[in-house]
Amino acid sequence: QALLYALDRPTMVKQIKYGLSTVGVGTMPVASWAYQPDKITMKYEYDPKKAAQLLDDAGWKPGADGIRMKDGKRLAFDLWSYSGQKINDQYMLVMQESWKAVGADMQIKTEEFSVFVDRITKSFDFDICILGFSWGVDPDQTAMWDSKQHTTGFNSFDYKNPMVDMLLDQGTHTLDQAKRKTIYTD
């Protein structure tokens, strides 16, 4: 949460995408019929003071070099992506600078696309990563967020939430679009 609050995403869109994109709220694509940003309660507006406060509250205190420490461990991690993506490169540089400003030491790591895909789908050897992902017309995101999709789908992060699993299952078994919209917003 702190890392998201530390990012000025509207400015990133304005400067990197020349204002031709929209900052999304939640996981639904902005163009999806299921996209309802006004119904999403957890929003991450740019607020570096809140980011710093969250890190303080979690026990991550600034070290002598400005990088936060907790229990003798530095708040340091690698951000992986694939090479040749100029927009991702720009995003990563802004992320690195923004996160350093709140005391996180992020190092950028890139590699050839097929090696990167193996990293995030087979070896799972990464702290965080940035990549593009496209959804079809149907808003189902089971492949990304269902806990059973860790090794068989795109849940490379091993995200587990029983409520999300249940809602995704409901969404795929409901025909009424209005009901599905509510389920996917939840």
Side-chain angles (χ1 to χ4, degrees):
Q1 289 177 334
L3 295 178
L4 281 171
Y5 282 120
L7 295 177
D8 186 354
R9 294 178 301 149
T11 298
M12 291 169 71
V13 164
K14 182 178 177 186
Q15 293 179 350
I16 297 171
K17 301 284 277 189
Y18 305 104
L20 299 175
S21 290
T22 303
V23 175
V25 177
T27 66
M28 280 297 132
V30 173
S32 171
W33 56 261
Y35 185 64
Q36 298 189 92
D38 54 317
K39 304 268 174 147
I40 302 291
T41 56
M42 182 62 74
K43 296 182 181 176
Y44 296 94
E45 306 294 337
Y46 177 56
D47 190 342
K49 288 181 182 172
K50 185 170 187 169
Q53 186 63 56
L54 285 170
L55 291 168
D56 285 341
D57 293 349
W60 291 97
K61 303 300 181 193
D65 63 355
I67 302 304
R68 291 175 179 271
M69 305 266 307
K70 180 178 177 179
D71 300 327
K73 182 176 165 117
R74 288 170 45 91
L75 182 55
F77 51 91
D78 295 332
L79 171 65
W80 286 91
S81 191
Y82 46 100
S83 53
Q85 286 293 317
K86 293 188 189 302
I87 293 205
N88 282 358
D89 292 345
Q90 292 174 48
Y91 281 142
M92 290 186 295
L93 287 171
V94 171
M95 290 173 180
Q96 185 178 50
E97 182 179 306
S98 300
W99 291 339
K100 187 171 186 181
V102 297
D105 179 21
M106 181 271 278
Q107 296 301 309
I108 296 169
K109 305 287 185 176
T110 61
E111 59 196 348
E112 190 272 324
F113 184 73
S114 65
V115 177
F116 172 72
V117 169
D118 283 349
R119 177 178 300 281
I120 66 169
T121 62
K122 292 182 181 159
S123 72
F124 307 107
D125 181 24
F126 65 95
D127 296 319
I128 62 175
C129 67
I130 184 172
L131 65 144
F133 199 89
S134 296
W135 297 105
V137 174
D138 191 274
D140 176 48
Q141 297 181 8
T142 299
M144 182 72 72
W145 303 114
D146 187 275
S147 62
K148 295 179 291 299
Q149 298 293 318
H150 174 54
T151 56
T152 59
F154 285 101
N155 183 356
S156 299
F157 319 101
D158 201 14
Y159 177 79
K160 292 179 181 162
N161 183 320
M163 177 66 87
V164 170
D165 289 349
M166 181 192 73
L167 290 166
L168 289 168
D169 187 59
Q170 284 179 5
T172 58
H173 290 91
T174 301
L175 296 177
D176 182 280
Q177 190 177 54
K179 288 180 182 175
R180 288 186 81 207
K181 192 178 212 181
T182 299
I183 289 167
Y184 287 122
T185 300
D186 289 347

